[in-house]
Amino acid sequence: MARFSRADFTLEAFRRQLANVDALPQLCVLGLLSGVMTGAVMVAFRLLLDAGALLYMPGADPEAFEGLAPWLRALLPLLAVTLIGVFLYRQKAAAHKLGVGHVIERLSYHQGRFPLRNWLNQWWVGVVSVLGGLSAGREGPAIHLGAAASSGLGVKLRLPNNSLRVLVACGTAAGISASFNTPIAGVIFAMEVVMMEYTLMSFMPVILASTMGAVVAQAVYGSEPAFRIPEVSLGSLMNLPWVVITGLAIGLLAGLFIHVSRNRRLSGLPLWLRLAVVGVLTSATAWWFPQVQGIGYDSLAAALNNQLGLQVLLVLVIAKLLVTAITVAGGVPIGIIGPVLVIGAAAGALSGALGAWLWPASAADPGVFAMLGMAAMMGAVLQAPLAALMALLELTHTPNIMLPGMLVVVVACLTSRQLTGCEGFFVSSVRYGLHPLQQPLMQALSRVSVPAVMERQLVRTERIVTPEQARKLLDTNPVWLLIERSSDDKPVLGMKAAALARWLLEHDEALKGEPPPADEVVDLLEIPGQRVEMAPIALQATLSEAFLKLQDKALGALYVVHGYRPKQQRISGIITRGAIERYYHYSDPQDKEPTV
């Protein structure tokens, strides 16, 4: 039976265990903490929306724009873009990045570390966007707030960077779970859209985080499903061809949405003009059709229950799609997931109404097609079919809708990707060449931190030593000698200790028992042996960071720096290309065939 000491339960031991690829218990602990924290953050964000709605919204409902006077609901978007322009865009350009795209960018290129200023901006920009009558959702802010808060916990505890990746996924899943009350969809969204991988080491902590996020949200808002809909089914299988046609149409709508939101002509306009276009367009549309404002969950619920007229459905499909896409193209950082669900549900309801007119005897209820359209639009825009299907199941609580749901989601995703040339909305928004999260090798190396493979047996020494000092250097059986230079601008050099041991042996043989000269010294840069230039790398870094740093041809290895204050830093180990290659080329020796 394994014995544990008090040292096994210290924070330092916890960090050391997290550096390995098999730190599942430790990651699960982080998942629980992340879920509780993100759930609390999401509840606070929703309370902020409710508090803001108390000031002027009918019934203190953040979605009740229809109850406002036309002049007031038309004025709100103009005020919203003015506030965002004045208080957000007067900051540095790096502070403008918010939402899911920002989360993926920080995970891909910054090891999951988030700037505090962006996190603080997300709070008020998210509230202003929704309550200001822009076509915006709360899921984007929830994901950013949750992921950044979870990552911040890891940074505060000085955890290795490979665990920060998992914390970002945990915060994402818990944010979706607490926002929609959809814990399974939160898990799939985090793995499919943000992490872009499915591994056991990530799945279990993310599941725990999503569960705890939902528990915290349900403790405040109850466990009722997001939408109440009657029991419905597809009915006759004769509806399946119309399901395929619906998927084709929604896939084209998804492609249109992405192309408009990436319109370079609009995004190239001066900032003041872009914000003016967004504000005036939203304001003019809201004067006549307030359904385009806000998230639109009230309209979504009405579409699922077949309670919207054709005119309103057309407005939601055309006007809300264009207003949302132009808002994104105009540079306003909004959440798109909620509006995308509303647009898809309206498009599906229109398709169902047309099918009922063409085949009244066998056509399914338009509410069924509204459900299918909701999932199809989400899947096609995000290129996340599993997340869309799980959202469909958890939002509607209708398991028998899954068969046509799978068909319509796949058709819509294929149509958007193949016929309109659109990749996932968030991937295309952060792509600079080949996306790092889509490279299997970089994914594998990102799961492990350098302490897991670094060589710890080393000793630091000056360049010039006496033979006696040289022998003492070898007393601890080091593998590496780190040769310190006379000035900081010269690179640290590393040499295998075996080279010094060989030189001392040959030196003693050459003396033939005679005592060495009293003033004899050893120049470690002159004795035979291969020396390599080294550069520093942080103890928290992942193998992917080390791999990229070692692409510099001049570097032969990296020395791992431990410590957080410059004058107190120490070198903990050495990592070489060979150590990284042995990690990802590793195979069990028992699997090899015996040689003769």
Side-chain angles (χ1 to χ4, degrees), residues 2-73:
R3 294 188 177 185
F4 298 98
S5 65
R6 182 176 298 178
D8 294 323
F9 298 95
T10 63
L11 183 57
E12 189 62 38
F14 189 69
R15 296 189 189 112
R16 189 168 56 250
Q17 293 158 352
L18 281 170
N20 298 299
V21 72
D22 58 348
L24 187 56
Q26 292 77 19
L27 291 174
C28 286
V29 171
L30 292 180
L32 287 170
L33 295 176
S34 171
V36 173
M37 178 185 297
T38 302
V41 166
M42 191 55 206
V43 167
F45 182 71
R46 292 176 66 174
L47 290 175
L48 274 178
L49 290 176
D50 294 338
L54 280 171
L55 298 177
Y56 58 89
M57 297 295 283
D61 181 4
E63 292 286 311
F65 291 97
E66 294 87 346
L68 295 175
W71 68 268
L72 178 55
R73 63 177 182 245

Side-chain angles (χ1 to χ4, degrees), residues 545-559:
E545 294 175 81
F547 180 82
L548 292 174
K549 203 161 189 176
L550 285 171
Q551 298 307 301
D552 184 347
K553 300 293 184 183
L555 293 178
L558 302 171
Y559 60 92

Side-chain angles (χ1 to χ4, degrees), residues 98-105 108-109 139-140 143 176 189 192-194 196 257-258 261-262 328 334-338 340 378 380-384 423-431 435:
L98 308 173
V100 183
H102 178 61
V103 171
I104 297 176
E105 179 184 351
S108 305
Y109 303 103
E139 296 74 29
I143 292 168
I176 288 285
F189 182 92
E192 193 172 28
V193 177
V194 176
M196 299 185 190
F257 176 84
I258 294 176
S261 66
R262 300 281 172 255
V328 173
I334 60 169
I336 67 158
I337 298 176
V340 160
M378 176 180 174
V381 168
L382 305 182
Q383 286 297 308
E423 297 178 324
F425 179 88
F426 296 116
V427 172
S428 60
S429 68
V430 296
R431 175 175 292 244
H435 199 282

Side-chain angles (χ1 to χ4, degrees), residues 291-356:
Q291 292 85 357
V292 303
Q293 294 186 283
I295 308 172
Y297 283 164
D298 53 347
S299 299
L300 175 57
L304 294 176
N305 286 278
N306 197 19
Q307 296 173 349
L308 293 181
L310 292 179
Q311 184 184 36
V312 175
L313 291 174
L314 285 169
V315 167
L316 289 174
V317 172
I318 300 172
K320 193 168 181 69
L321 185 149
L322 292 176
V323 167
T324 307
I326 291 173
T327 302
V328 173
V332 181
I334 60 169
I336 67 158
I337 298 176
V340 160
L341 291 173
V342 176
I343 296 165
L350 277 176
S351 177
L354 180 58

Side-chain angles (χ1 to χ4, degrees), residues 512-550:
K512 297 181 179 179
E514 296 292 329
D519 58 349
E520 184 180 21
V521 293
V522 182
D523 188 342
L524 295 179
L525 295 188
E526 297 296 333
I527 67 174
Q530 183 180 7
R531 281 159 284 273
V532 294
E533 287 191 6
M534 294 186 174
I537 191 168
L539 185 71
Q540 294 88 356
T542 62
L543 291 189
S544 63
E545 294 175 81
F547 180 82
L548 292 174
K549 203 161 189 176
L550 285 171

Side-chain angles (χ1 to χ4, degrees), residues 56-326:
Y56 58 89
M57 297 295 283
D61 181 4
E63 292 286 311
F65 291 97
E66 294 87 346
L68 295 175
W71 68 268
L72 178 55
R73 63 177 182 245
L75 178 63
L76 287 174
L78 299 175
L79 292 175
V81 296
T82 301
L83 288 172
I84 291 172
V86 170
F87 293 104
L88 180 65
Y89 281 95
R90 298 183 81 176
Q91 301 179 37
K92 294 181 179 179
H96 304 168
K97 297 179 180 181
L98 308 173
V100 183
H102 178 61
V103 171
I104 297 176
E105 179 184 351
R106 300 305 298 187
L107 181 65
S108 305
Y109 303 103
H110 303 277
Q111 302 300 322
R113 294 172 180 266
F114 291 81
L116 178 61
R117 177 179 293 185
N118 298 62
W119 188 73
L120 295 175
N121 283 336
Q122 183 64 89
W123 283 93
W124 70 265
V125 171
V127 172
V128 168
S129 298
V130 175
L131 294 180
L134 299 178
S135 181
R138 68 177 182 230
E139 296 74 29
I143 292 168
H144 181 185
L145 294 174
S150 298
S151 172
L153 172 66
V155 172
K156 190 70 174 176
L157 295 177
R158 297 169 182 168
L159 303 182
N161 289 350
N162 64 318
S163 61
L164 295 187
R165 297 177 69 252
V166 179
L167 279 170
V168 169
C170 289
T172 298
I176 288 285
S177 176
S179 179
F180 277 126
N181 195 16
T182 54
I184 301 177
V187 172
I188 301 300
F189 182 92
M191 306 304 292
E192 193 172 28
V193 177
V194 176
M195 292 280 282
M196 299 185 190
E197 66 176 15
Y198 294 98
T199 61
L200 177 64
M201 293 300 165
S202 300
F203 248 127
M204 293 181 69
V206 173
I207 289 172
L208 286 173
S210 188
T211 301
M212 296 310 298
V215 167
V216 173
Q218 288 180 15
V220 178
Y221 292 100
S223 58
E224 293 296 321
F227 306 105
R228 290 184 173 275
I229 58 174
E231 287 291 333
V232 292
S233 63
L234 185 65
S236 172
L237 293 179
M238 296 297 294
N239 287 293
L240 289 180
W242 196 247
V243 169
V244 173
I245 294 173
T246 301
L248 284 167
I250 291 179
L252 295 175
L253 284 175
L256 174 64
F257 176 84
I258 294 176
H259 280 299
V260 174
S261 66
R262 300 281 172 255
N263 186 279
R264 294 184 178 180
R265 182 174 300 178
L266 179 57
S267 60
L269 295 175
L271 175 63
W272 68 269
L273 186 53
R274 280 185 279 141
L275 294 179
V277 168
V278 172
V280 171
L281 177 63
T282 308
S283 178
T285 309
W287 180 279
W288 303 104
F289 301 104
Q291 292 85 357
V292 303
Q293 294 186 283
I295 308 172
Y297 283 164
D298 53 347
S299 299
L300 175 57
L304 294 176
N305 286 278
N306 197 19
Q307 296 173 349
L308 293 181
L310 292 179
Q311 184 184 36
V312 175
L313 291 174
L314 285 169
V315 167
L316 289 174
V317 172
I318 300 172
K320 193 168 181 69
L321 185 149
L322 292 176
V323 167
T324 307
I326 291 173

Side-chain angles (χ1 to χ4, degrees), residues 461-474 500 503-504 507 516-524 527:
T461 177
E462 297 177 351
R463 171 181 173 178
I464 306 296
V465 295
T466 64
E468 186 62 28
Q469 290 173 328
R471 290 186 177 88
K472 289 183 178 179
L473 291 176
L474 302 177
L500 177 59
W503 184 88
L504 287 173
H507 174 265
D519 58 349
E520 184 180 21
V521 293
V522 182
D523 188 342
L524 295 179
I527 67 174

